[in-house]
Amino acid sequence: YMKLDSATQDIIYASYLGSDGDESSSISYSPLMKIVGNHIYISLVMDGANAPTTDGSSFLGDLSDYFIKINATTGVPVYASFITGGNGSIYQDFIVEGNSIYIVGAVLGSDIIYPTTDGSSYPDGSLTNSKTYFKKINNTNYSTEVFTLKDLFNGENFDEFLAQNKIYKSGNNIYSVINMVCDPLDTLVTIPCKGSVDVLVYKINASTGQFNMEMTVGGIKNERIGDRVVIGNKLYMIGTTSSSDFPTTNGTTIQNNSYLGELYFTVINLDTKQILLSTILKIGNSGNSSVTPRQLIVEGNNAYIVGNTDEKQFTSTNGTKFNGEEDIFYYKLNATTGAVLAKSIF
């Protein structure tokens, strides 16, 4: 990591962060950095020993998630730790708010050294099932206030370990939206699956670490989450669906039942679990294209969506045309009604 002078591009400080192993550069384990106040927070996955820690934690083998807090002025680490104290563990996302650090990740191994605050543990020590963990750290003395493990799914699977988890804080709750693979060995404890793959919304009490399964969104086939944003008590999300019965509020439906899926935009009230708006956005006219939603931004009453598609008959509002094997598309929507305000491809 390094800090540059924004005017001259001169290096103010620079340092290596790693172990004696090979820190993974794959997208699943890429370092995540956030700047809050005068500190830099970084989470990453280590694959070797001798990474610096301030709490005496150490690398045990395989993959192990690691968290560090750095003074942004001096570049000097203030706090550094292996988050779970075990092997086969990965971070997925974290939030820094006030005097608390909230971290969510997954474990796939039995060597969890740090005791959980509620007595939860890895179920059987096998390496064929994974659990989600939630950890709350005091941002002053770095003590662990909450550390718990939760098996979101029944069955022998890697779903939690592979989930592209992103978390958001609203009030005293941490919300997450992930893909849920459904099969006889992979059934939610409290919420049934609807199709082959659904979208699961769950929340964690930020004070106690209690997990609550909130709702699933989907139909008889496959749903995938692309991006999601929580603002106040509203969840905005985009993704793809190949279900003819995907819930919409305006009567829109998919053009075909192919596995490729079509783009949806959905808004949910997290307090009431009510779908306020849900619409399927018609990319083009072929009815047989692929679409990959990448990013969602909500500002005021507008929602902006960016992604990739190979839809050769893309219908834009400004005359732009598809030109290549796969192009980038852009939508601007009314975030309350779902009306398309602008649509372009390039």
Side-chain angles (χ1 to χ4, degrees), residues 92 104-105 132-134 150 152-153 160 163 165-168 173-178 191 199-204 210-215 235 270:
Q92 291 168 335
V104 169
T132 295
Y133 75 76
F134 170 71
K150 176 67 175 179
L152 295 179
F153 307 94
E160 278 108 331
N165 210 337
K166 292 177 68 176
I167 58 175
Y168 305 87
N173 292 313
I174 305 289
Y175 288 93
S176 181
V177 186
I178 60 174
I191 297 182
V199 174
L200 167 69
V201 181
Y202 72 88
K203 71 178 180 182
I204 307 169
Q210 178 181 350
F211 283 71
N212 289 301
M213 306 299 123
E214 292 295 279
M215 63 186 296
L235 164 66
L270 291 171

Side-chain angles (χ1 to χ4, degrees), residues 117-306:
T117 53
D118 61 354
S120 56
S121 62
Y122 200 81
D124 55 10
S126 73
L127 294 179
T128 57
N129 194 15
S130 56
K131 273 194 171 186
T132 295
Y133 75 76
F134 170 71
K135 190 166 187 177
K136 179 182 179 182
I137 301 170
N138 185 293
N139 201 14
T140 300
N141 60 26
Y142 311 111
S143 62
T144 297
E145 297 182 350
V146 178
F147 182 35
T148 183
L149 301 171
K150 176 67 175 179
D151 194 354
L152 295 179
F153 307 94
N154 289 327
E156 300 294 304
N157 58 72
F158 296 88
D159 289 350
E160 278 108 331
F161 202 72
L162 299 176
Q164 297 298 309
N165 210 337
K166 292 177 68 176
I167 58 175
Y168 305 87
K169 190 170 185 292
S170 178
N172 196 44
N173 292 313
I174 305 289
Y175 288 93
S176 181
V177 186
I178 60 174
N179 291 323
M180 176 180 67
V181 180
C182 309
D183 60 54
L185 294 179
D186 185 18
T187 305
L188 279 179
V189 176
T190 57
I191 297 182
C193 295
K194 296 177 183 178
S196 299
V197 181
D198 283 357
V199 174
L200 167 69
V201 181
Y202 72 88
K203 71 178 180 182
I204 307 169
N205 184 296
S207 299
T208 66
Q210 178 181 350
F211 283 71
N212 289 301
M213 306 299 123
E214 292 295 279
M215 63 186 296
T216 57
V217 179
I220 59 175
K221 286 196 174 181
N222 298 330
E223 278 68 45
R224 296 287 182 181
I225 186 69
D227 197 11
R228 50 282 209 202
V229 176
V230 172
I231 301 176
N233 67 342
K234 292 181 181 179
L235 164 66
Y236 301 83
M237 65 181 185
I238 56 173
T240 57
T241 178
S242 59
S243 299
S244 59
D245 61 340
F246 182 83
T248 60
T249 56
N250 58 2
T252 52
T253 59
I254 63 172
Q255 298 181 76
N256 61 75
N257 293 324
S258 75
Y259 70 93
L260 297 174
E262 297 186 36
L263 178 65
Y264 68 78
F265 173 67
T266 300
V267 184
I268 297 172
N269 184 308
L270 291 171
D271 294 331
T272 64
K273 306 177 189 177
Q274 176 187 4
I275 295 178
L276 303 176
L277 168 68
S278 186
T279 183
I280 293 175
L281 301 169
K282 184 180 178 182
I283 288 287
N285 295 318
S286 73
N288 190 31
S289 60
S290 65
V291 56
T292 305
R294 300 289 185 183
Q295 187 173 12
L296 169 66
I297 296 175
V298 179
E299 289 186 351
N301 199 40
N302 294 320
Y304 305 88
I305 303 170
V306 173

Side-chain angles (χ1 to χ4, degrees), residues 91-104:
Y91 79 91
Q92 291 168 335
D93 199 5
F94 68 87
I95 294 172
V96 179
E97 182 181 279
N99 198 42
S100 298
I101 303 170
Y102 307 93
I103 306 173
V104 169

